[in-house]
């Protein structure tokens, strides 16, 4: 279990230090600073072992969060906790920065006391935490006994993520499917590896204790229904209509037993925003863009680059925030760029040409050509030719995931599924989207 | 040199550096650097010419980026361009960049060398200095090749500025250190030496470093520097502190130069010229006198400079080691320093005294400071100083003060630093042994040592105690008593148990008269420690027990009880179990006579160099212990490399003893002296002793030693006796006199092939056993009357197994070793004995010699017993080519054009054995008509000549 938790700024100064177990001493603080933050070589591994002590760290902008333990803990659990803690802090005071941390010093210690007990993670649901850890100092009017007991029963009860007696005039529900698509493509256009990792994020403003049921075009479910239903439809339903999900994880509110037996996702949602599920797919991915690179070396002092991007989705949809990053050799001495659309610029500090396009419709193509002048060097080393990477945002799910239904049942209060206003949105973003050149 | 003016600072550079310093993260820094690099690249693109200032600025930035740890792969050209600038600052930056970033890029090196050459010939002293500094900083071989000829010329030229001369001297020194073969002084030598007379003190200081280095390599060429150095030294020493102006440092005239001069003089023996020597002695006396004067300044720099000279002077005095007066004065001076406030001074004084102590003149003087040194050992705060004090005590120890010093060292050991304890233990052990008048004192000391610092007592120390106790009858009783008392302490170190077990096992009877140490009490005392000890110690204790049975028959039943209990006889450790079983059997079966013989008291050990001393030497590195201390012990002559005496083959016992190489001798003998491993008690402590005893005086007729390729356990003893050698085995042997490979033996069942190779006195033989039948041979085993690595006990039908024998010829021999082969074919036991075709001639080394040499040697070997002659009838047709081939196969060199008669054959060779080399000359005179040969052999050893003659007579 986690023995201690430290937060450092970029210089390695300790901002927050909370030790949960006696086996972690103050010297652990210095060990991490010396061996990781100030290490000569940049430390890439998120887990570092120093003198039989394990350090798990994540970095948010210039802030290092490190969990320390001497025991053999579940590393995935520790990282899950660290990410959760980042979420909690963001929910409380916004961006994680040195200044914000210094300003919310007391709050963070209070949070740390609550979400970790003797190194064991506790309830880290922001909604629940916000009921009893408040930002505005001590309320002038102390909480009533009733309120306090309500909080206690919620936190200790079976449904720790939702309190009773919530009432909304408008029952609303927002559902976002956020996906990031990762790709590595050979110069000839052959897919070397591709996968999509997606999240379903919900925001619910529902009264009472509603029971929700979420359905999507999961291949297993569709196939099962197809078999159960009319056999003539079976051929149609499989195919493009359904997707194969490689693995998925759920928010704690989802009833896993039901998912295991019926593969249906049913839950009592927390109030406010939360992440319902995460999933990953690797088959039948729709690649929104194709990058066609053409690099030609003209002698030792010149390089000609031509890159064509093609959008590969319905013409009615618009991709946004498109950015193509074309790496340049380390001995570049000058760059001339011509592009038909958007803006392109040579960024010396990043050793790359960055080409930005605001919007682009589907089934279009665009081209950039650049002439790179090189300085002759003594090194005989050849340029390693890093891949061309790309960023974008598209309004559909590249995995092909579709929300089929989201039903809300609330038996005690008198509103039905039809009264709930539901919003569904799909956003596909680029993860590591690279093409070798 | 022109100073860099304020206005000359590079603003761009300063801004860039401050940007980097202000970067919040590594990433930001890398971004900034990438941006700057791109900027510099675009500037260096070559579109427009850059002025010197910006070139300098960008090269500076590149240098800064490089020093931050980033790769720089361009800009070298611009840096080289800067070299040809006329502005000092630009040139300087160029040289700086080159010195830091130069790589052996051929085209650039040429350009750089060119620029340096221009600067060297420019006559501008600052430019020349810059160029020289660059050469010295780079110091590569290419540079040395290009400039090694040029720099000495600059160094000795009359019109060179002093500052340039200084740089040139140091630059040359650097080149000499990197590639001494390229820097040839030759004609410059005398002129370089005369730089010692230079007006400018800086030049002298620089030159003297060079001269010291050069004269260490070839002292004869620079011999003349001694008198010059002495006169220079005396001028400095006698000068008033104000004479030398710039070179006076806190009232001390030219301290660095003085030190270097004294160091240079340490490369040479005392000057022979009386006048020079007198002058030098005068100087040294002055230096010693000055040390007595009250300091001219309270500043620490003043005393440091003064003491530096003084210590160098003392080092020189010690180096000369011929002026008793000076040595004693130096010693007294150091004695004063021993009580100085400064720790560093005390350290240096102790260190210098260590060397003084080894000089015969000052040894007594050093001894007067013993109290101070002991005090230092006790009270010094710094461990390194204490270490030096301990060294000094060791160095000053002699018979008169040994007891005191050893006692002090022992008492210090209790609190000593862990890092030096082992060394201290060794030193105490050595001193105690070396200066022991009274051996009971020695035994007390070593036992004390083990008690105080048991963990640090290495094996060698306690082996040595036992060695000495065994060799000296007078201390044995005392040792037994003391050990017995020491063992009574509730907690003993394991080493103490080892010593106790060994000594009581040998000499327990000497104290058995006292009822307080009756045999049973002794045994119980030892056995009470048994369970706390490690396996090797337990094994030793078991051996001690069996010795007890011999010494005190009344303990027999008790000990047998102990041996019989499950924890011994079924011990999981093979060695312990084996000992328990064997000892138990030995004690119950053997009669008292046998027991008494087997378990007899150890014979005295041969005297030899103390292994402790060897260990200390190893620890401190060569040269740390002066040669005078080494008592060169005689090494035992006959090394027995795993050999058994022929005929002893029944005694190939099954005791793979842990042959600890206790005394540093290379005797990894498999021990098997007695039918059971009773002798292994001896072996425990002195592995060499067992086999040495059994083979003492054996080697008179010489024997061959064979050791198996791996010294694994020999095969289990075969019950049947080996069959007598086959009648035809002699004939088979003769087939192999002149060849190395072939089929040794063949019958309807088995074929034995041989492949062998010999080099000098070593040989390797591959035996191939081929099964000619279709049935497998079971329990196939081979034994040689020496030992062999076992072969695979199964030989499949039609298959072949291979066996490797390594052979070493220890001395000349006449009988070939016997090879016994046993296997079961079907149900019948087959038993074969063959002579292994190893004959003395296999170890021939051919020797080529001229006719003259041959006959000269032939005449030298003219005594009758050195010659063997035989006249015999030819068995084979007389074919010259066949004869030649046979003689070559013999291993000798066939000498052409030696004998006046071309029909005759003459050969020469040397037989290599481990013990000696035996030269042999051979003459074969065929008589075609009579079909007869006359064979004459002359050899420095008569047996060899006879044996060879016998062997060869069968061949022709």
């Amino acid at each position: 279990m986690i023995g201690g938790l430290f937060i450092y700024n970029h210089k390695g100064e300790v901002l927050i230090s909370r030790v949960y177990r006696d086996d972690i001493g103050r010297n652990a603080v210095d060990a991490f600073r010396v061996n990781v933050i100030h290490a000569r070589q940049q430390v890439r591994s998120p887990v570092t072992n120093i003198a039989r002590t394990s350090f798990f760290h994540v970095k948010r902008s210039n802030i290092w969060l490190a969990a320390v333990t001497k025991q053999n803990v579940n590393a995935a659990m520790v990282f899950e906790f660290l990410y959760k803690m980042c979420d909690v802090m963001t929910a409380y005071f916004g961006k994680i920065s040195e200044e914000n941390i210094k300003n919310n010093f007391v709050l963070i210690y209070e949070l740390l006391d609550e979400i970790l007990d003797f190194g064991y993670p506790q309830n880290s649901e922001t909604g629940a935490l916000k009921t009893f850890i408040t930002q505005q100092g001590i309320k002038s009017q102390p909480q009533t006994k009733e309120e306090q007991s309500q909080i206690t029963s919620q936190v200790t009860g079976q449904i720790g993520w939702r309190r009773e007696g919530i009432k909304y005039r408008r029952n609303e529900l927002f559902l976002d499917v956020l996906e990031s698509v990762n790709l590595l493509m050979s110069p000839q256009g052959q897919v070397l590896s591709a996968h999509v990792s997606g999240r379903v994020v919900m925001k619910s403003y529902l009264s009472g204790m509603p029971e929700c049921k979420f359905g999507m075009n999961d291949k297993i479910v569709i196939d099962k229904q197809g078999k159960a239903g009319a056999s003539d439809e079976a051929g149609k339903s499989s195919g493009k209509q359904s997707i194969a999900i490689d693995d998925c994880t759920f928010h704690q509110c989802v009833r896993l037993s039901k998912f295991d037996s019926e593969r249906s996702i049913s839950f009592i949602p927390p109030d406010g925003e939360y992440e319902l599920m995460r999933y990953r797919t690797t088959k039948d991915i729709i690649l929104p863009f194709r990058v066609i690179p053409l690099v030609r070396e003209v002698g030792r002092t010149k390089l000609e680059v031509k890159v064509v991007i093609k959008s590969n989705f319905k013409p009615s949809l618009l991709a946004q925030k498109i950015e193509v990053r074309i790496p340049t050799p380390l001995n570049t001495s000058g760059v001339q760029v011509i592009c038909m659309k958007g803006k392109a610029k040579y960024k010396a500090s990043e050793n790359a040409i960055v080409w930005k396009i605001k919007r682009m419709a589907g089934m279009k193509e665009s081209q950039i050509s650049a002439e790179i002048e090189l300085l002759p060097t003594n090194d005989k080393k050849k340029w390693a030719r890093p891949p061309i990477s790309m960023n974008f945002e598209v309004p559909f799910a590249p995995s092909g995931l579709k929300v089929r239904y989201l039903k809300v049942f609330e038996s005690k209060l008198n509103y039905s599924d039809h009264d709930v206003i539901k919003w569904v949105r799909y956003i596909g973003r680029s993860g590591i989207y690279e093409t070798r050149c | 040199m022109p100073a860099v003016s304020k206005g000359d600072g590079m603003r761009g550079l300063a801004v860039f550096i401050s940007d980097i310093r202000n970067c919040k993260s590594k990433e930001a820094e890398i971004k900034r650097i990438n941006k700057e690099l791109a900027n510099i690249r675009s500037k260096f693109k070559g579109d427009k010419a850059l002025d010197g200032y910006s070139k300098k600025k960008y090269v500076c930035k590149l240098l800064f980026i490089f020093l931050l740890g980033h790769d720089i792969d361009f800009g070298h050209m611009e840096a080289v361009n800067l070299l040809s600038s006329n502005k000092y600052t630009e040139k300087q930056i160029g040289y700086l960049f080159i010195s830091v970033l130069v790589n052996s890029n051929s085209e650039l090196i040429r350009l750089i060398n060119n620029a340096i050459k221009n600067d060297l010939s420019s006559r501008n002293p600052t430019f020349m200095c810059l160029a020289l500094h660059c050469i010295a900083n780079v110091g590569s071989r290419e540079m040395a090749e290009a400039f090694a000829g040029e720099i000495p010329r600059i160094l000795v030229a009359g019109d060179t500025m002093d500052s340039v001369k200084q740089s040139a001297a140091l630059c040359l020194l650097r080149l000499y250190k990197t590639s001494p073969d390229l820097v040839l002084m030759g004609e410059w030598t005398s002129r370089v030496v005369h730089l010692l007379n230079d007006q400018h003190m800086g030049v002298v200081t620089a030159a003297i470093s060079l001269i010291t280095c050069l004269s260490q390599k070839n002292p004869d060429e620079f011999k003349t520097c001694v008198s010059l150095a002495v006169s220079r030294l005396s001028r400095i020493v006698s000068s008033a502190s104000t004479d030398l102006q710039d070179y006076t440092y806190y009232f001390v005239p030219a301290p660095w130069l003085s030190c270097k001069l004294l160091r240079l003089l340490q490369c040479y023996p005392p000057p022979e010229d009386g006048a020079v020597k007198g002058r030098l002695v005068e100087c040294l006396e002055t230096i010693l006198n000055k040390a007595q004067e009250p300091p001219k300044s309270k500043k620490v720099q003043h005393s440091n400079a003064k003491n530096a000279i003084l210590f160098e002077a003392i080092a020189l005095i010690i180096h000369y080691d011929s002026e008793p007066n000076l040595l004693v004065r130096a010693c007294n001076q150091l004695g004063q320093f021993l009580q100085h406030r400064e720790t560093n001074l005390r350290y240096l004084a102790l260190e210098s005294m260590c060397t003084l102590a080894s000089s015969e003149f000052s040894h007594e003087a050093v001894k007067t400071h013993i109290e101070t040194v002991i005090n230092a050992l006790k009270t010094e705060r710094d461990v390194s100083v204490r270490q030096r004090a301990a060294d000094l005590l060791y160095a000053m120890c002699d018979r008169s003060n040994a007891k005191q010093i050893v006692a002090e060292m022992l008492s210090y050991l209790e609190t000593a630093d862990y890092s030096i304890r082992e060394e201290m233990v060794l030193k105490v052990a050595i001193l105690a042994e070396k200066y022991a008048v009274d051996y009971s004192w020695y035994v007390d000391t070593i036992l004390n040592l083990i008690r105080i610092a048991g963990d640090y007592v290495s094996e060698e120390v306690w082996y040595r105690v036992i060695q000495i106790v065994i060799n000296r009858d007078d201390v044995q009783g005392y040792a037994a008593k003391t050990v017995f008392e020491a063992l009574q302490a509730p907690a003993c170190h394991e080493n103490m148990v080892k010593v106790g077990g060994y000594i009581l096992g040998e000499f327990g009877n000497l104290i058995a008269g006292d009822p307080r140490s009756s045999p049973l009490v002794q045994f119980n005392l030892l056995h009470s420690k048994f369970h706390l000890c490690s396996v090797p110690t337990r094994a030793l204790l078991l051996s001690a027990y069996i010795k007890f049975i011999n010494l005190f028959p009344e303990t027999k039943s008790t000990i047998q009880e102990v041996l019989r209990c499950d924890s011994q006889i079924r011990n999981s450790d093979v060695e312990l179990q084996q000992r328990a079983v064997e000892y138990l059997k030995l004690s119950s079966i053997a009669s008292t006579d046998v027991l008494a013989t087997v378990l007899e008291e150890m014979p005295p050990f041969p005297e030899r160099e103390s292994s402790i001393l060897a260990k200390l030497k190893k620890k401190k590195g060569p040269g740390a212990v002066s040669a005078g201390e080494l008592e060169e012990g005689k090494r035992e002559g006959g090394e027995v490399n795993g050999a058994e005496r022929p005929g002893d083959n029944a005694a190939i016992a099954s005791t793979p003893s842990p042959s600890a190489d206790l005394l540093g001798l290379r005797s990894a003998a498999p021990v098997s002296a007695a039918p059971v491993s009773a002798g292994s008690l001896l072996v425990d402590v002195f592995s060499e002793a067992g086999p040495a005893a059994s083979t003492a005086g054996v080697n008179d007729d010489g024997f061959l030693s064979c050791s198996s390729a791996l010294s694994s356990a020999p095969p289990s003893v075969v019950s049947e006796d080996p069959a007598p050698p086959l009648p035809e085995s002699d004939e088979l042997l003769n087939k192999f006199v002149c060849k190395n490979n072939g089929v040794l033996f063949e019958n309807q069942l088995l074929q034995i092939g041989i492949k062998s190779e010999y080099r000098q006195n070593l040989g390797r033989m591959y035996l191939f056993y081929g099964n000619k039948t279709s049935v497998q041979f079971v329990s196939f085993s081979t034994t040689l009357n020496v030992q062999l690595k076992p072969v695979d006990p199964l030989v499949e039908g039609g298959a072949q197994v291979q066996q490797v024998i390594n052979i070493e010829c220890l001395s000349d021999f006449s009988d070939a070793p016997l090879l016994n082969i046993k296997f079961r074919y079907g149900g019948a036991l087959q038993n074969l004995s063959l002579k292994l075709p190893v004959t003395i001639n296999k170890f021939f080394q051919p020797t080529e010699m001229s006719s003259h040499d041959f006959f000269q040697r032939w005449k030298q070997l003219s005594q009758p017993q050195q010659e063997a002659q035989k006249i015999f009838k030819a068995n084979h047709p007389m074919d010259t080519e066949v004869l030649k081939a046979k003689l070559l196969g013999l291993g000798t060199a066939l000498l052409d054009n030696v004998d006046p008669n071309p029909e005759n054959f003459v050969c020469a060779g040397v037989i290599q054995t481990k013990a000696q080399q035996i030269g042999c000359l051979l003459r074969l005179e065929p008589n075609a008509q009579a079909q007869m040969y006359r064979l004459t052999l002359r050899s420095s050893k008569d047996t060899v000549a006879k044996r060879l003659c016998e062997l060869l007579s069968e061949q022709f």
Side-chain angles (χ1 to χ4, degrees), chain B residues 59-249:
Chain B
V59 167
C60 256
K61 282 183 183 174
L62 285 180
L63 194 55
F64 182 74
I65 293 170
F66 176 77
L67 293 177
L68 282 178
H70 299 265
D71 279 338
I72 297 295
D73 51 8
F74 64 98
H76 299 76
M77 206 53 221
E78 281 70 19
V80 174
N81 286 344
L82 279 179
L83 295 186
S84 51
S85 160
N86 272 327
K87 280 202 187 119
Y88 172 76
T89 50
E90 286 166 20
K91 210 184 252 298
Q92 181 199 28
I93 295 296
Y95 273 121
L96 189 60
F97 187 89
I98 299 292
S99 324
V100 175
L101 268 133
V102 85
N103 48 13
S104 40
N105 185 323
S106 57
E107 44 193 310
L108 270 181
I109 282 283
R110 223 184 50 235
L111 287 171
I112 294 165
N113 282 355
N114 216 10
I116 291 177
K117 213 161 256 168
N118 285 340
D119 279 339
L120 284 183
S121 53
S122 70
R123 309 223 145 271
N124 179 334
T126 49
F127 290 178
M128 286 173 90
C129 278
L130 277 179
L132 286 168
H133 294 169
C134 179
I135 298 171
N137 276 329
V138 176
S140 66
R141 217 176 150 75
E142 292 85 12
M143 289 269 183
E145 274 165 8
F147 301 108
E150 176 86 353
I151 297 168
R153 197 185 52 72
I154 296 173
L155 178 59
V156 298
D159 55 348
T160 315
M161 292 263 295
D162 289 333
S163 61
V164 180
K165 270 190 191 169
Q166 284 179 42
S167 299
L170 294 176
C171 179
L172 199 58
L173 175 61
R174 163 70 203 236
L175 291 186
Y176 183 75
K177 277 180 179 164
T178 48
S179 31
D181 53 317
L182 291 175
V183 182
L184 301 169
M185 294 313 288
E187 70 232 72
W188 309 111
T189 306
S190 70
R191 296 179 70 181
V192 169
V193 170
H194 277 277
L195 283 176
L196 287 179
N197 272 338
D198 200 283
Q199 297 289 315
H200 194 268
M201 292 289 255
V203 176
V204 183
T205 315
I208 201 161
S209 297
L210 176 66
I211 294 169
T212 309
C213 186
L214 288 170
S215 60
Q216 273 160 356
K217 286 278 157 58
N218 24 356
D220 290 339
E221 285 180 39
F222 288 87
K223 226 175 193 164
T224 46
C225 69
V226 174
S227 61
L228 288 177
V230 170
S231 66
R232 188 91 219 185
L233 183 67
S234 80
R235 260 182 286 159
I236 295 171
V237 169
S238 57
S239 67
S241 57
T242 48
D243 287 359
L244 294 164
Q245 290 173 356
D246 282 355
Y247 288 87
T248 303
Y249 177 81

Side-chain angles (χ1 to χ4, degrees), chain B residues 213-325:
Chain B
C213 186
L214 288 170
S215 60
Q216 273 160 356
K217 286 278 157 58
N218 24 356
D220 290 339
E221 285 180 39
F222 288 87
K223 226 175 193 164
T224 46
C225 69
V226 174
S227 61
L228 288 177
V230 170
S231 66
R232 188 91 219 185
L233 183 67
S234 80
R235 260 182 286 159
I236 295 171
V237 169
S238 57
S239 67
S241 57
T242 48
D243 287 359
L244 294 164
Q245 290 173 356
D246 282 355
Y247 288 87
T248 303
Y249 177 81
Y250 288 89
F251 307 106
V252 183
W256 281 276
L257 183 54
S258 314
C259 284
K260 283 181 174 180
L261 282 166
L262 288 164
R263 218 169 273 172
L264 172 64
L265 289 171
Q266 283 172 46
C267 302
Y268 289 96
E272 281 144 22
D273 183 355
V276 176
K277 191 171 183 186
R279 215 162 161 202
L280 180 57
V281 169
E282 204 175 293
C283 283
L284 293 172
E285 271 172 351
T286 321
I287 293 172
L288 288 173
N289 287 340
K290 273 193 182 169
Q292 298 295 337
E293 286 170 14
K296 292 200 180 101
S297 156
K298 284 227 169 69
K299 288 262 171 59
V300 67
Q301 288 94 333
H302 171 72
S303 59
N304 275 350
K306 219 165 96 174
N307 291 333
I309 300 175
L310 181 61
F311 274 108
E312 267 327 313
I314 290 173
L316 183 65
I317 293 169
I318 295 170
H319 170 73
Y320 284 167
D321 198 13
S322 59
E323 300 286 329
N325 178 30

Side-chain angles (χ1 to χ4, degrees), chain A residues 50 84 99 140 146 177 201 270 312 321 388 415:
Chain A
I50 307 158
K84 199 78 206 174
E99 203 185 332
S140 55
E146 226 174 277
V177 177
V201 177
N312 184 28
K321 299 178 190 166
I388 295 173
Y415 68 93

Side-chain angles (χ1 to χ4, degrees), chain A residues 10-11 39-40 42 59 61-62 98 328-336 346-351 373-381, chain B residues 23-27 30-32 34-47 71-77 103 105 107-108:
Chain A
H10 72 278
K11 286 185 207 150
R40 225 163 243 267
Q42 200 189 347
K59 215 179 158 195
S61 64
N62 276 334
E98 187 175 348
T328 55
L330 293 174
N331 54 347
T332 305
S333 61
V335 177
Q336 271 93 47
Y346 168 58
K347 285 204 172 168
S349 58
E350 288 152 49
N351 283 321
E373 286 171 70
L374 303 176
L375 197 72
T377 62
N378 306 328
D379 263 6
K380 300 284 178 283
K381 264 188 292 178
Chain B
C23 280
K24 286 244 159 142
S25 64
K26 194 98 187 160
E27 292 78 33
I30 289 170
K31 273 192 175 172
R32 180 70 185 90
N34 278 337
K35 195 175 151 197
E36 194 60 44
L37 282 174
N39 176 35
I40 299 172
R41 280 196 301 260
S42 70
K43 293 284 198 268
F44 282 175
K45 207 160 46 177
D47 295 355
D71 279 338
I72 297 295
D73 51 8
F74 64 98
H76 299 76
M77 206 53 221
N103 48 13
N105 185 323
E107 44 193 310
L108 270 181

